[in-house]
Every structure is written in structure tokens, then in C-alpha cells.
Amino acid sequence: MTERDVFLPVGAQPTLDALVDQAITAEALGYDRAWFPESWGRDAVTAIATTAERTDEIGLGTSIVNVYSRSPALLGQTAATLQEATDGRFRLGVGPSGPIVIENWHGQEFGNPLRRTRETIDIVKQVLTGEPVQYDGEYFDLNGFRLRCDAPDPAPPIDAAALGPKAVELVGRFADGWHAVNYTRGGVEERLEDLERGAELGDRDPEDIRVTLSVGCCALEDPERANELVSQHIAFYIGGMGTFYRDNLVRQGYEDLAHEIHDAWQEDERDHAVDLVQSELREQMGAAGTPADARDQLERFESIDGVDAVYVSFPRGATTDEIHETMTALAP
């Protein structure tokens, strides 16, 4: 059975307590896991540690922390500590982010993100064994680092976010799970083939790799408002978040539409960009409308063969009340 997770709206919460309250609500509503993003503002580690103290059963994880702003050894320590703090409920989600964030915000050279992600996963896995880490890579050379505390048992799984074919193949070879973000229903099915190929190259069983699909959701008694919010959110990512999400949509067979949405957004014709999404993409990339309609649409994503979990993600323009209404309407 496909699990139903929730992606917590960090930016929409006025305080850390309000954010943790969202996770408590998600647990009470029966969601399987709460994912914490990390971009700017509150860090994911503090938020998860605080949430762990105030919840009992819901799984907790990062989606995602980037592989540049913390060293692999520190990410290993962090994963071990959060696995202890959550009593074994933690999953570490990592990814490369993009050059705008990494170079402009963190002052690091973006370089080869696939290689850096692979090396980070390799090293974190070594750290979590509790044995001395010996690693000779392109980006990292480690000799003798070892956890001073007991290694977590079991070790937390390590997931990775990926968009392109080679990145998804890498996840299949080295990670425990894949986070698929900003995909159409047809597009994620195609990338699942890359995940399976990666698993075969790594001599692994694809069934052992957890696939978590992000779905932008809004379930309101006002269906026009719900559709507008999800469409605006999709348009923002395609038009305003660099080239990665636009290029990913091109790979999914929407080349002309992807460029038209991007150009409209960049030229400040944002209503037009939203209209394009609403007419051609919204039902392929999100679930919105009345509570009944949104639930039906979300179930179409859950029925995709190979998807193990979907997480309910909220549009950036939604109010706190609209987030709560959606979370309640779409509870498992």
C-alpha cells in the first residue's frame, strides 16, 4: 500500500512552535512521515530534533539538505544523532540543490553535482557503520574519522533527490530512496526505468529503493482558489527557480510549454504563466479542487506502479488555514 506523507510548509509558519504543531497535527491525522525542507530560514535539523521530542510515531526526514553546506562527515554525525533523537524514525534526504543556491548563498563551487552526491552518500554510509572512515574520492579524502558515540542500529536510510536520467540512475545504484519532485504522472514513470537500471548496475533489488513522489495539493471548499494556488506554485518553479525544473519538464515531453511558461514568468506576465499551467499541466502535476476532487486526483499519483509514497506538498501562496484545511482533507 502506498504511504501518504506530508511536506511541512516551513516558510508559512511564523514560529518554530507553529511548525512543530503542524507535524503533531500530521501525526494525529495519520500521515506516515513528515518531511522537512531546508532552503533559507529555519534549518531542518533543529526542527526535526524539536519535533522528535513532541511526537511518538510519525516518521521524520529531510527533504532535502544539500550536499555542499555540510561536510559528509557532519551529515553522517547529524543522521546518527537524529536517528537517536527520533528513536529510529529518521530518513536522511540529500541532494545537490542548484548553482544559484550553492554558489550565491553558500559560496561553494557547484562543480559536478552527481559525483559530489555519490561521494557524500558513500561517506555517510561509512560513518553510520561506526567504523573508521577511509575514503579517496574526487572531492573528499578522509582518513580515520570515526563516530565517538555508538553507531545507530538500525542505520537511518539515505534518500536522494534527482531530476535527470543519470541522476536518477545514480540514486538507484547508491541510495536507499528517490525523491521525485516536479514530475508529471507520465514523467515519473519514465524516470522509474532509470532508477531500475541504476539498481541493476549496483547489483541491487529495485524493490528495496523507496520512491517518494511530491504532489502539490490544495483541497478547499473553494475549488477555483485551490486550482489557482497549485497552478501558481507550479508556474513559479518552472519559471522562477532557475533552469533545472524547466529542463526537467522539457524531458517529460513539454518542451514548447516549458519555455512558454518560463518566458511568461520572466517577462512578468505571471497570470499568463499560471493560465498555461492550469490549462495543460495542473492535473498532471498536482491535486486540487474540492476535498473530494483533490483526494481522487491524489489517488491517481498513488496508483503509479513503483511509487511507494506520495507526500502532500502545499502551494507557496496558501495561508496557514488553507494548509490546515488541505492537510485535514487529504489525511490517510
Side-chain angles (χ1 to χ4, degrees):
M1 182 177 178
T2 306
E3 292 185 1
R4 190 171 294 184
D5 301 345
V6 64
F7 183 83
L8 290 179
V10 173
Q13 304 309 310
T15 65
L16 177 61
D17 280 342
L19 173 62
V20 174
D21 284 345
Q22 289 279 3
I24 294 170
T25 298
E27 181 174 66
L29 290 171
Y31 284 93
D32 293 287
R33 184 170 298 272
W35 295 101
F36 289 73
E38 184 177 81
S39 49
W40 63 96
R42 299 180 185 91
D43 74 279
V45 176
T46 304
I48 290 174
T50 306
T51 302
E53 284 292 306
R54 303 183 193 176
T55 56
D56 299 310
E57 297 179 354
I58 191 169
L60 303 171
T62 56
S63 182
I64 62 167
V65 291
N66 75 71
V67 296
Y68 292 85
S69 58
R70 296 177 179 87
S71 73
L74 179 57
L75 279 171
Q77 290 175 265
T78 300
T81 306
L82 288 176
Q83 182 73 328
E84 181 179 3
T86 62
D87 293 324
R89 293 183 279 148
F90 180 66
R91 291 185 79 98
L92 175 67
V94 300
S97 189
I100 292 176
V101 171
I102 299 309
E103 295 182 353
N104 293 355
W105 297 1
H106 296 289
Q108 302 291 317
E109 182 182 353
F110 195 59
N112 182 342
L114 296 187
R115 182 68 196 184
R116 188 173 182 116
T117 301
R118 173 188 169 170
E119 291 190 15
T120 297
I121 293 171
D122 287 343
I123 292 167
V124 171
K125 285 187 174 183
Q126 285 196 36
V127 170
L128 292 172
T129 67
E131 299 299 320
V133 177
Q134 304 292 332
Y135 196 83
D136 181 11
E138 181 179 334
Y139 283 95
F140 301 104
D141 294 314
L142 278 71
N143 181 18
F145 177 87
R146 182 176 185 174
L147 286 177
R148 189 175 181 182
C149 57
D150 291 338
D153 184 20
I158 305 170
D159 299 343
L163 292 177
K166 286 298 181 183
V168 176
E169 181 183 292
L170 179 144
V171 174
R173 292 179 66 187
F174 300 105
D176 300 308
W178 173 39
H179 286 225
V181 180
N182 277 66
Y183 274 93
T184 64
R185 292 200 303 273
V188 76
E189 290 174 343
E190 184 176 351
R191 287 288 81 77
L192 284 166
E193 296 176 6
D194 300 313
L195 189 76
E196 292 175 2
R197 182 172 61 254
E200 291 171 1
L201 290 170
D203 196 24
R204 308 173 68 206
D205 184 349
E207 295 294 323
D208 293 336
I209 303 168
R210 186 182 198 262
V211 175
T212 302
L213 176 61
S214 170
V215 182
C217 299
C218 195
L220 305 174
E221 293 302 327
D222 181 351
E224 291 185 5
R225 167 71 174 170
N227 275 284
E228 176 79 10
L229 284 169
V230 171
S231 298
Q232 192 275 343
H233 185 86
I234 295 168
F236 165 74
Y237 269 85
I238 296 168
M241 287 291 286
T243 63
F244 288 99
Y245 295 116
R246 181 189 63 189
D247 292 345
N248 193 45
L249 187 59
V250 169
R251 283 190 294 267
Q252 296 173 70
Y254 294 90
E255 181 171 4
D256 291 343
L257 181 61
H259 291 298
E260 191 173 355
I261 292 169
H262 176 269
D263 292 346
W265 191 271
Q266 291 297 315
E267 293 166 8
D268 210 26
E269 297 176 358
R270 297 184 176 177
D271 289 343
H272 179 51
V274 172
D275 287 343
L276 288 169
V277 170
Q278 197 154 5
S279 63
E280 300 192 50
L281 272 182
R282 214 281 299 144
E283 289 197 11
Q284 277 291 319
M285 296 186 73
T290 65
D293 287 344
R295 288 186 71 91
D296 287 344
Q297 293 166 34
L298 185 59
E299 288 171 2
R300 296 175 197 166
F301 291 90
E302 291 176 324
S303 67
I304 297 172
D305 188 30
V307 170
D308 301 296
V310 297
Y311 65 60
V312 173
S313 178
F314 306 100
R316 56 195 292 271
T319 66
T320 301
D321 288 343
E322 289 168 335
I323 289 168
H324 182 79
E325 186 176 345
T326 299
M327 187 187 297
T328 302
L330 300 181

